[in-house]
């Protein structure tokens, strides 16, 4: 999806585009909230691609996918021998994103220990590799995202309030797809274009009845679920002309 060209005709997404236009040129840290699959990464990439840092790295870290004992090494790097599996020096994501952007996805799942070091990196623009006491200066813009209620995490002492205030200079909420149904036809058209090359130039056409049926569905999985179903139609449908009948047959939805 073209990153600032977040496909839309809904007011909600137009508001997000307007905010991206204002915020992207700055170095302001941004907290993106929203349900899983709503497109938080697209927003983060749009902020990077439309900033002065766009020629440098955009590094994504899924904090929920990395074991807590490895998150600090992933973020800040380590030196050889600092722990059992540290067979050589490693550069961390903050250093790799120097003069670019680091996107801390699902930051609500980050350990408190790692949170304290991220706070230092933001406050002082410097990090230390695991096993080292040498400071490394970094100029990295931080964008974070979560599908969790950060306020509740702070109350339960699972997220540092001082870090929250540091990373949420700008807060941006991406609404669920069910709240912006008018976007669905354009998203479907985009996904078809995106998948055409992947599936040897095959091009699907979903007619008005198919579009109407897909727009009527409850999209608990949001944009990610919508894309999955469009791809399923590419794989399973025998015809390139997709009507409501094919949508019902292959979507797995009623």
């Amino acid at each position: 999806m073209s990153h600032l060209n977040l496909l839309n005709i809904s007011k909600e997404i137009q508001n997000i585009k307007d905010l991206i236009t204002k915020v992207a040129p700055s170095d302001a840290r941004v907290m993106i909230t929203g349900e899983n699959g709503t497109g938080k990464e697209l927003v983060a990439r749009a902020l990077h691609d439309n900033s002065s840092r766009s020629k440098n790295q955009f590094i994504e870290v899924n904090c929920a996918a990395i074991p807590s004992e490895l998150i600090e090494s992933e973020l800040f790097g380590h030196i050889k021998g600092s722990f059992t599996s540290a067979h050589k020096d490693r550069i961390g994501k903050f250093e790799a994103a120097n003069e670019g952007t680091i996107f801390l996805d699902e930051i609500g799942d980050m350990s408190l220990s790692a949170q304290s070091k991220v706070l230092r990196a933001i406050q002082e623009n410097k990090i230390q590799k695991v096993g080292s006491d040498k400071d490394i200066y970094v100029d990295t813009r931080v964008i974070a995202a979560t599908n969790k209620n950060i306020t509740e995490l702070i109350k339960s002492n699972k997220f540092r309030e001082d870090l929250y205030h540091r990373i949420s200079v700008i807060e941006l909420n991406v609404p669920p797809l069910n709240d912006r149904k008018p976007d669905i036809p354009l998203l479907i058209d985009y996904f078809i274009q995106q998948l055409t090359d992947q599936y040897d130039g095959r091009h699907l056409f979903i007619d008005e009845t198919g579009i109407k049926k897909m727009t009527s569905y409850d999209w608990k999985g949001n944009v990610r679920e919508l894309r999955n179903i469009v791809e399923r139609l590419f794989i399973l449908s025998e015809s390139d002309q997709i009507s409501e009948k094919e949508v019902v047959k292959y979507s797995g939805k009623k």
Side-chain angles (χ1 to χ4, degrees), residues 77-138:
H78 60 251
I79 62 172
K80 181 179 178 180
S82 55
F83 51 90
T84 303
S85 59
H87 302 303
K88 61 181 180 180
D89 289 358
R90 180 182 179 182
I91 292 176
K93 302 299 189 184
F94 263 88
E95 189 175 358
N98 189 42
E99 298 186 349
T101 302
I102 188 167
F103 174 46
L104 302 176
D105 196 12
E106 303 305 344
I107 194 171
D109 291 279
M110 183 181 289
S111 69
L112 288 170
S113 174
Q115 288 177 35
S116 66
K117 294 190 176 183
V118 169
L119 179 62
R120 179 176 185 261
I122 292 172
Q123 288 176 325
E124 304 178 14
N125 292 323
K126 59 186 178 183
I127 61 170
Q128 288 183 354
K129 291 184 177 183
V130 175
S132 173
D133 58 4
K134 179 182 178 182
D135 286 336
I136 300 172
Y137 288 86
V138 291

Side-chain angles (χ1 to χ4, degrees), residues 195-215:
L195 290 163
T196 293
D197 290 339
Q198 185 176 334
Y199 289 93
D200 299 323
R202 184 182 184 190
H203 188 86
L204 294 186
F205 173 76
I206 303 179
D207 70 17
E208 186 176 346
T209 65
I211 295 291
K212 184 176 180 180
K213 187 63 177 177
M214 293 178 80
T215 303

Side-chain angles (χ1 to χ4, degrees), residues 202 204 232-242 246 250:
R202 184 182 184 190
L204 294 186
R232 192 179 304 159
L233 290 169
F234 265 87
I235 297 169
L236 299 178
S237 64
E238 296 177 0
S239 172
D240 291 343
Q241 305 295 312
I242 306 298
E246 284 77 27
Y250 296 116

Side-chain angles (χ1 to χ4, degrees), residues 130-193:
V130 175
S132 173
D133 58 4
K134 179 182 178 182
D135 286 336
I136 300 172
Y137 288 86
V138 291
D139 172 19
T140 305
R141 184 183 191 179
V142 176
I143 299 174
T146 184
N147 64 348
K148 295 186 175 180
N149 186 322
I150 290 291
T151 302
E152 292 301 318
L153 292 179
I154 292 171
K155 287 180 180 178
S156 59
N157 296 316
K158 294 180 180 178
F159 200 86
R160 294 181 61 116
E161 186 172 9
D162 48 1
L163 177 59
Y164 167 72
H165 290 303
R166 284 283 181 177
I167 62 178
S168 61
V169 175
I170 302 293
E171 290 193 45
L172 199 159
N173 179 260
V174 184
L177 188 57
N178 285 333
D179 289 353
R180 47 188 177 98
K181 291 289 187 77
D183 294 337
I184 290 175
L186 283 176
L187 285 165
I188 291 171
D189 183 62
Y190 170 74
F191 293 142
I192 287 174
Q193 294 179 41

Side-chain angles (χ1 to χ4, degrees), residues 214-225:
M214 293 178 80
T215 303
S216 73
Y217 284 147
D218 179 23
W219 293 99
K220 293 181 180 179
N222 293 296
V223 175
R224 186 179 299 144
E225 182 186 12

